[in-house]
Amino acid sequence: MSVLSNSTSSDSHLVPSSEPSDEALLTLAEKRESSGGPGDEYEQAREELLRYRLHERHRDFIDYSGLKVFCGTWNVNNQFSEAEDLTKWLQCADSAPDIYALGFQELDMSTRNYLSTYCSERQTRWCELCRKAFANSKDYKVLKTVKLFSTLLMVAVKKDLISEVRNLKCGAQATGLMGFMANKGGTAVRFQLHDTLLTFVNCHLAAGEEKLERRYEDYKDILVKLKLFKTQPGDGYSTGQQQGESGEFEFLASDSEHHAMFWFGDLNFRLVRIERDEVERLVNHGKFDRLLEFHDELNLLRQLKKKPEPQWSRYADMFEGFQEEKINFKPSYKFEVGGNQYAVEKSRIPSWCDRVLFHSASVPCKVIKYDCFLSNQMSDHKPVACVLQVDIAKVNQERRQRVYREVIRLIDQLENAILPQCVLDPGHEISFGQVAFFETYETGVSLRNTGRVPVRWHFNGSDAFGGDTCPAFMRLTPTTSRIDVDSQQSIKLSLSLKDRHIAEAMRRWAEEQPNPVFRPEDILVVVLTGGKHFFLIPQADLVPTCFGLPLAVACRLARPVSRLEPDDLRAAIRLAYRRGSAAVAGEYPDKYDDDVESVSASFGQLPGFLTEPQPLPREVVRLIRHIRRHHLTTQDLLTDVTNTEEILRSAELLTSTDLMDELPLESIAGKSYLQTLFVYLECLPDSLLPEPGSPLAANLLCLVLDLAQ
């Protein structure tokens, strides 16, 4: 739905009130000039070191004060009553909270409310009803309300804290029908209190006992599209730049200092793998732990690292890093409206749908109370509250200025430490060994940080920097990252020769180049931000194959490639490329009569090759013969399902078995033979593909069309 907006902006609390001394700046400038410093790269390295040292000493200038935060959630089932008593819910703490964050779902399901961007009358009345139920209600001011159809988030703060609130941002993300209807989704408010970021997220995830995948997608949409965490984490400290000037709802990273997030709402997690009668029996006996450990979806997801379940593995990062207080109350859903009995519908298993989770990096949070309230009976859900003691960071400006200047002086003394230092293991040459067609090979290197500051690196030309990092048949993982001090980053390199890349490799192999799979320019460059470059030289030897051969060679094979002498195969490939179009049998005979005869004679002198070419490569004929035996239909031709393992087996058979032998009919599916045929044709060298109208092109076309019929 909406892009989150920025209400106010201010400099980070770590910006000094005065600049470092002229002497310190002059010293840095002189060193930069005398050493021929790299300009922007120098400044980036200096900034990294400054953040690191400030992080080490943040407790020297930050004080913490405890505030009480109330997070509440209630799905009100499209109901409202002025007579509803909310005091037990909103005044459950032993003292008045400093912050109220209330999330409602299904607050007003009317069509008129859906079409309006403003709070409806019912939503406004709900907010007023809540405000009146606050402990000492006159002491609070509503900071922000955010609406997404029937999902509403209201945040109220004590009036004596309002002056300390900065950088207020808010927004909403719909995740309902087709990914944009607002019947499901999330609303969020974020602000800075003193020098701590507080984030409140209220959501209504997809309902249903078998809709975990949809709930996961809703969660990811809210998390990513509202930018609840930065995509590239930093330390959480700024040394001069303003934060959030773009106006986007952008948060510090999950490992940042002084950021606490509270995520609550109707998360719709259900109890699974258990019958309703057994649930009610355990609930009545207060055995919540067993239900939560073995049957609650959210807790099962959290246990995936210890107890992997393949069918749920893709959900392992759902609410990763979030905490929840131990539950000691009955499931909050589904009740009979007007009472405290669970609904009689056997299809509705009582579940803890309404939850409060929190995520804090280095902001101490202690849960005081976590409960649901049976006294409110207007909905089929019960309201849930979580009261937390949160330590809010506040910077002492005088001490901050002193620490800042001390750090600047330290950087002057540690000038050499600014430059990143890394070691590449095992070295610059990366060997894949013997490489065969269509197989996947993996190897790796390790980049170890041996310096005194964190290092950022990337492959030259990586996506984030606008270019190709490596040859198209290779994959690198990752292409960029941050390496902490005394840590290392493992980099995986994978290779798979397919398509016309095999033709290029076969040509270089025939020319006896020492590294036939790679071109001389296929060097990988690792760039340290603000530092030097590392050059990785990938190397691989090629196992000859019938794939990627020039047609002039393929049509004259009398033996499988694996039974040819390497020198004979190399000579044939070189001959085909040297003669060009004349080497393609029978093309333009009037113009190339002499050359064709010369080529045929040359091939005839090579063991394992025919003097006169066949109309088609025997590999093509063998594949088509076996495809016909499987009686494939036109629909089979159009079905794009690739069985890589069977294509590998087919390719191996074509390369190693006698050209007159029948291929196995039962062990490999006909569709795999068909896909192998397409792969074979796709691997033909561009320069040797038959011209339109040539006899060879006509033969290929007729046979493939005949197969399709």
Side-chain angles (χ1 to χ4, degrees), residues 550-599:
L551 286 172
V553 177
C555 291
R556 287 183 168 88
L557 286 177
R559 303 176 193 166
V561 167
S562 64
R563 299 181 189 174
L564 292 172
E565 289 295 329
D567 288 344
D568 295 335
L569 181 58
R570 286 190 174 100
I573 296 173
R574 289 198 301 269
L575 178 63
Y577 278 107
R578 187 163 56 246
R579 295 298 184 177
S581 297
V584 180
E587 292 195 4
Y588 312 110
D590 294 339
K591 185 175 181 180
Y592 294 112
D593 277 344
D594 295 339
D595 284 338
V596 169
E597 292 178 5
S598 174
V599 168

Side-chain angles (χ1 to χ4, degrees), residues 350-383:
S351 299
W352 284 279
C353 293
D354 309 281
R355 314 283 275 265
V356 179
L357 313 176
F358 59 96
H359 185 298
S360 61
S362 61
V363 178
C365 294
K366 179 182 178 181
V367 176
I368 300 172
K369 189 177 185 65
Y370 190 28
D371 205 352
C372 83
F373 298 85
L374 303 179
S375 57
N376 299 101
Q377 301 176 351
M378 68 160 52
S379 170
D380 53 358
H381 289 253
K382 299 298 182 183

Side-chain angles (χ1 to χ4, degrees), residues 59 61-65 392-396 399:
R59 295 190 179 275
F61 55 87
I62 293 178
D63 300 317
Y64 292 92
S65 59
I392 303 296
K394 185 175 182 179
V395 173
N396 182 295
R399 299 205 309 265

Side-chain angles (χ1 to χ4, degrees), residues 437 499 502 545-551 553-555 557 616-620 623 654 674-685 700:
F437 172 69
D499 306 332
I502 185 64
T545 176
C546 62
F547 288 79
L549 290 177
L551 286 172
V553 177
C555 291
L557 286 177
L616 287 172
R618 290 188 179 178
E619 287 83 2
V620 173
L623 288 169
L654 289 174
L674 176 61
Q675 291 167 343
T676 304
L677 173 61
F678 289 154
V679 170
Y680 184 92
L681 297 177
E682 190 177 14
C683 290
L684 292 173
L700 284 173

Side-chain angles (χ1 to χ4, degrees), residues 73-86:
T73 177
W74 192 11
N75 183 325
V76 298
N77 194 28
N78 199 33
Q79 302 296 318
F80 176 75
S81 172
E82 292 282 3
E84 187 71 14
D85 184 6
L86 304 179

Side-chain angles (χ1 to χ4, degrees), residues 106 148 151 173-176 181-186 204-207 218 268:
E106 298 186 13
L148 177 71
T151 301
Q173 176 63 44
T175 63
M181 297 295 286
N183 60 312
K184 295 292 188 290
H204 193 184
L205 303 185
D218 290 353
N268 261 316

Side-chain angles (χ1 to χ4, degrees), residues 91 96 100 128-142 156-159:
Q91 296 185 28
Y100 275 104
E128 182 61 21
L129 188 65
C130 291
R131 192 187 64 80
K132 291 179 179 178
F134 290 165
N136 306 320
S137 59
K138 293 182 179 180
D139 294 341
Y140 294 90
K141 179 180 178 180
V142 175
V157 179
K158 277 189 174 180
K159 292 179 180 179

